[in-house]
Amino acid sequence: MPLPFQQIWNPEGAVTIVTGASSGIGFELTRLLVDAGAHVIAVARREERLAELAAATSDPMRVHSIVGDVTDASTREKAMAAADSLRDGGLDLLVNNAGVGAIGPFADASPDRMRRVMEVNFFAPVDWTRDALPRLRQVAQSGERSVICNIGSVLGHRAVPDKSEYCASKFALHGWNDSLRAELVSDGIGVTLVSPSTTRSEFFDSLVETDPDQKSKSIGSWPPRRVAQATLMAIKRGRSEVILSLGGKALVYADRVAPPVMNGLLAKRGR
């Protein structure tokens, strides 16, 4: 007999939180969730973009905007309070999507670059999840399925040069995600890790301590809508982990088969 977290997750009437909702994956995932009948507490720093997001959905009244930085406790408190008002203390889905990156050699960066990337990409999801857990448990205890979805990266499986801070944050997220999944399985709370390759979004417009106009050399980029569709499908089906794009899968699986070969291929030759 399947456990509750293995059942299909139903977005109809669900109360959900999506961080980093003003652009890219978060923007498109919010639209998909609203189309499917969910209420979305959309969290981002840019108020005007959240207004655009609400207007772009099929039912703007189902978008509940929270303006603020995901690393700020007050932003988190406002989002949880909004969830409480919608479902009397319950939460069906938390999507930890907000993220930042950085490009450049580790030796050339200040310590602040690593700390900023880790705060947004790792510590913020940890803090949001900690506050969400009692609410997710309340839903699971009622016999319905609740889910935590962490948006990771293929670079949380295989690190590459000049993205050490970003890789470190996504490796940390990956390890914590796997432990969390094992801990929460008996509670009926699903934990899903989605690992995209490069996504065509505004992500590269807000890199930390990085020269402007930097481009990713990754292979196999997907548009945000496609990533959001794959993410929602993984949530619905209770997938533990999905790696997206052929390029992303090639990087991850080639490293699992022949790590020394990948080390040689990815090594920088000279400066």
Side-chain angles (χ1 to χ4, degrees), residues 87-167:
R87 187 163 179 169
D88 193 24
L91 179 66
D92 296 276
L93 170 67
L94 169 67
V95 181
N96 289 309
N97 167 71
V100 296
I103 299 176
F106 171 78
D108 296 345
S110 75
D112 287 340
R113 188 164 85 176
M114 177 67 85
R115 293 186 182 280
R116 175 58 180 165
V117 172
M118 291 296 292
E119 284 290 343
V120 176
N121 293 1
F122 178 65
F123 288 113
V126 168
D127 289 339
W128 281 78
T129 300
R130 194 185 307 280
D131 282 2
L133 272 175
R135 297 164 170 88
L136 294 161
R137 280 199 176 99
Q138 179 173 313
V139 170
Q141 287 168 357
S142 72
E144 299 179 46
R145 182 169 171 250
S146 57
V147 183
I148 300 162
C149 178
N150 293 308
I151 305 300
S153 169
V154 297
L155 300 187
H157 300 260
R158 168 70 221 198
V160 298
D162 293 333
K163 296 181 181 178
S164 59
E165 295 90 356
Y166 184 77
C167 292

Side-chain angles (χ1 to χ4, degrees), residues 1 9 28-29 31 52 98 117 121 123 173 176 234 255 260 264:
M1 181 176 180
W9 183 79
E28 296 297 340
L29 183 57
R31 293 178 63 197
E52 292 173 13
V117 172
N121 293 1
F123 288 113
L173 186 73
W176 169 72
D255 184 61

